[in-house]
Amino acid sequence: MTIAQTLALIIFIVMFVLIIMDKIERHIVALSCAALTIILVFALTMHSSSAIIDTLNFKSIFTASFWFPGTNASESASAGINWETIIFIAGMMIIVEGMGRVGFFKWLCIKLANAVKFKPLPLFIVFMIMSSVLAMFIDSITVILFLAAATIELSKIMKTDPVPLILAEIFCANLGGSATMCGDPPNIIIGTALGYTFTDFILNTGLIVGISLIAIIIYYYFVFRKQLKAQAVTVDAKTLPTPESAISNKKDFAICTAIFALAVVLLVTHSQTGLSVATIGAIAAILTLIVKPKSSISIIKSIDYKTLLFFIGLFVVVDGLSQTGILEMIASLIGSVSHGNVIIMVAIILWVSAVASAFIDNIPFAATMIPVISSLASANAVPLDTLAWALSMGTDIGGSATPIGASANVVGTSVAAKNGHPIGWGKYCKVNAPATVIVVLISMLIIFVRYC
């Protein structure tokens, strides 16, 4: 290995270790390692100003194709910082914050709970489905934040244990997020880097998720059936909240819901309209801020800038591996082990992604693996799509296995603990680890049958 390769690899490993240790905020870790990559690897070792310019990738933002690639665009630039991903996530953060302020999420929870008359088993199934569906369009962290809080409130009214439903909601949010391009950060990265559309994900990972969701609902039913049946509900109808009580402003509620619907339509049709996801995110954000001018400053302040900075630092460090040739070496190793067999490649990518994502952040792992699968596909004449769907399902679902595997898991268990319902590693893994294995197995079989 060259000095540049060694330095790039050391910086990447140090970043991963520090993120796992969780002693320093991850955006600080990522940005610090990004700075080291630029200074030590690109500047002092490679003496390459072009490597720095390509990695920062500012010029892409100022091109027409960045905002309007057209209906014939096949692939976005994957080198360096993926600004399309950054802008899209920021835009969705703004629209979700606006929807939360008008009471959309609380309204939806109470509406569905009323529809099933607050009965434990139907409510359990409905909330699982709602968690999956919402996570297809909204960040799973936001989905769980609101759903877990609503579940706690409903459990107080119904005098039931909220833990089973929170565990199921966490898993279903991660599962639903894997169905679409905007549902989970790894998918956003995969889609924008490889040029896939919202429709591409729906027709491929979406199909896997649909089949898996049925299996998972059955699984959770058998796991918690005795507990759910034993929960007798004796609720005074007068104490039940109404959906209307959740709405803070009816006019703003209707407008924000319409903006969200518009964003979904634009995402579904962006391969036909030729709009990039960055443009769609920007449109949704601007409309939300226009609708709520008095709250616009506070909404902008509420953006999770730490997550966005983490992404930026991550892209730089991963590009350090790419530009020094480390990722090509990894792709070559997987290709040698699999002997060019697509079935073995899929199995390796799917299971390694799932196991790794159970213990480390799936975002940097997905970003690292994108150029790896691209190299594998080109070197072994294997369809890139097949490897991309395996990577997507592995990274998205693997994180569900442990309490630290995905951000939604941390949020959900934290909400439960703060309200007197702690969920330890044993309780969490006993329920959600087997569910993870089930979905990974289903994903592998579907990919084998459909693509291999």
Side-chain angles (χ1 to χ4, degrees), residues 144-343:
I144 289 301
L145 189 62
F146 285 99
L147 275 185
T151 298
I152 294 292
E153 292 302 316
L154 289 174
S155 70
K156 291 177 181 178
I157 296 172
M158 300 168 63
K159 299 179 181 179
T160 57
D161 181 8
V163 171
L165 184 50
I166 290 176
L167 286 172
E169 287 169 351
I170 289 171
F171 189 90
C172 288
N174 290 327
L175 179 62
S178 63
T180 67
M181 181 176 168
C182 63
D184 210 31
N187 284 10
I188 299 173
I189 296 172
I190 293 170
T192 53
L194 301 180
Y196 295 129
T197 66
F198 187 94
T199 305
D200 290 331
F201 276 93
I202 282 288
L203 295 178
N204 292 279
T205 58
L207 175 64
I208 298 173
V209 169
I211 295 172
S212 298
L213 182 60
I214 296 172
I216 287 303
I217 289 175
I218 295 172
Y219 165 78
Y220 279 109
Y221 167 74
F222 280 105
V223 170
F224 293 120
R225 67 187 186 282
K226 292 182 180 179
Q227 189 171 347
L228 291 171
K229 289 180 179 178
Q231 293 175 343
V233 183
T234 54
V235 183
D236 184 355
K238 295 181 180 179
T239 65
L240 298 178
T242 62
E244 290 71 23
S245 65
I247 301 174
S248 59
N249 184 301
K250 291 184 178 180
K251 180 182 177 181
D252 288 351
F253 178 89
I255 295 174
C256 285
T257 303
I259 294 172
F260 175 65
L262 173 63
V264 172
V265 170
L266 290 177
L267 283 169
V268 173
T269 61
H270 83 94
S271 61
Q272 286 77 39
T273 61
L275 297 175
S276 70
V277 292
T279 302
I280 295 169
I283 290 173
I286 292 169
L287 290 176
T288 301
L289 295 175
I290 290 174
V291 169
K292 300 182 72 65
K294 295 181 179 179
S295 306
S296 58
I297 295 177
S298 61
I299 290 177
I300 292 174
K301 287 181 178 179
S302 69
I303 293 175
D304 187 357
Y305 291 103
K306 291 181 179 180
T307 295
L308 299 179
L309 291 173
F310 168 69
F311 271 113
I312 291 171
L314 168 66
F315 283 128
V316 173
V317 175
V318 170
D319 203 52
L321 297 179
S322 178
Q323 295 211 37
T324 56
I326 291 291
L327 297 182
E328 290 182 5
M329 293 170 60
I330 296 174
S332 178
L333 178 62
I334 295 176
S336 299
V337 172
S338 64
H339 300 291
N341 187 306
V342 65
I343 292 178

